[in-house]
């Protein structure tokens, strides 16, 4: 299997399921394939969607592979409000992750089988690490943007003070000129 040249994208979704506890779905997205890691906090499952499997499924839906992967990423990167998500037993400890979407006015369902992870603890820890790293990155960005905003605000206040000073000096200058006239 040829490895995609582009760096993978990652997403993590807290998937709210009707009548069941939520699960976390971490996606690793490549141009023509994807990997999923799913945990309920105790057990974990994985789905390695190979290029051949993705190509086969994309052709069944009459979609280019890249479009198929992008659509899967959209539905597993952010919970879509109009989609029905399920994560149900598929026998032998496996689970079936499915979601609905609409195409040309017809409600369709995608299903991918997830097998039990060889090391549930490691998979769950990997998902938590990803979430913690993302949280740290987001926190640092918020702090950076807050500082940048504070600097811009201080500069704006200085500009306003300078503008008010110039306006006052202009008024004084005009008053002095009119007095001489």
């Amino acid at each position: 299997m040829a490895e995609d040249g582009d760096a993978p994208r990652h997403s993590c979704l807290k998937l709210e399921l009707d009548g069941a506890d939520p699960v976390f779905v971490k996606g690793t997205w490549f141009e023509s394939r994807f990997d999923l890691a799913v945990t309920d906090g105790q057990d974990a499952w994985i789905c390695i969607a190979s290029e051949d499997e993705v190509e086969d499924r994309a052709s069944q839906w009459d979609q280019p592979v890249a479009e198929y992967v992008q659509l899967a990423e959209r539905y597993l990167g952010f919970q879509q409000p109009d989609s029905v998500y399920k994560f149900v037993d598929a026998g032998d400890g496996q689970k079936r992750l499915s979601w609905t979407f609409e195409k040309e006015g017809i409600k369709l369902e995608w299903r991918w089988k997830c097998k039990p992870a060889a090391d549930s603890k490691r998979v769950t820890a990997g998902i938590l690490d990803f979430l913690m790293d993302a949280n740290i990155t987001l926190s640092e960005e918020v702090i950076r943007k807050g500082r940048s905003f504070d600097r811009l605000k201080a500069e704006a206040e200085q500009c306003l003070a300078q503008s008010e000073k110039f306006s006052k000096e202009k008024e004084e200058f005009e008053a002095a000129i009119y007095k001489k006239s």
Side-chain angles (χ1 to χ4, degrees):
M1 163 170 55
E3 189 64 38
D4 296 307
D6 292 344
R9 299 172 308 281
H10 301 280
S11 64
C12 194
L13 166 67
K14 179 180 179 183
L15 188 56
E16 302 288 344
L17 303 166
D18 284 339
D21 289 335
V23 295
F24 289 86
V25 181
K26 179 181 179 261
T28 302
W29 307 98
F30 298 90
E31 194 172 307
S32 58
R33 66 179 188 87
F34 57 89
D35 301 336
L36 301 175
V38 183
T39 187
D40 61 6
Q42 180 174 344
D43 297 309
W45 299 265
I46 58 170
C47 173
I48 309 297
S50 71
E51 287 183 4
D52 291 339
E53 288 174 305
V54 171
E55 186 176 331
D56 182 50
R57 299 241 182 141
S59 70
Q60 290 174 15
W61 293 101
D62 295 324
Q63 287 181 303
V65 168
E67 184 181 309
Y68 183 92
V69 172
Q70 287 172 350
L71 192 58
E73 182 179 2
R74 187 170 101 212
Y75 277 79
L76 295 177
F78 298 96
Q79 187 158 355
Q80 303 298 313
D82 296 337
S83 185
V84 176
Y85 292 86
K86 295 179 184 170
F87 191 62
V88 297
D89 288 327
D92 276 343
Q94 298 184 72
K95 295 276 194 169
R96 182 172 293 111
L97 176 61
S98 64
W99 62 95
T100 60
F101 70 102
E102 200 168 301
K103 183 177 182 181
E104 298 172 6
I106 300 170
K107 197 104 172 169
L108 303 170
E109 183 176 27
W110 276 3
R111 298 181 188 129
W112 281 91
K113 200 175 273 188
C114 301
K115 64 181 184 178
D119 187 348
S120 286
K121 244 181 175 176
R122 187 179 59 75
V123 171
T124 300
I127 292 171
L128 289 172
D129 281 346
F130 174 79
L131 290 171
M132 289 302 297
D133 288 347
N135 185 47
I136 289 167
T137 300
L138 185 59
S139 295
E140 288 171 348
E141 185 176 332
V142 167
I143 289 168
R144 238 184 350 268
K145 289 191 178 198
R147 287 179 181 153
S148 177
F149 173 79
D150 290 343
R151 279 192 305 273
L152 286 173
K153 183 179 172 191
E155 287 177 23
E157 287 170 351
Q158 285 176 345
C159 287
L160 181 60
Q162 191 173 28
S163 177
E164 288 172 351
K165 178 183 170 194
F166 289 154
S167 180
K168 186 178 175 187
E169 287 175 359
K170 179 183 173 218
E171 287 175 19
E172 290 171 357
F173 177 75
E174 288 174 347
I177 294 279
Y178 291 132
K179 278 184 183 178
K180 290 183 180 180
S181 316

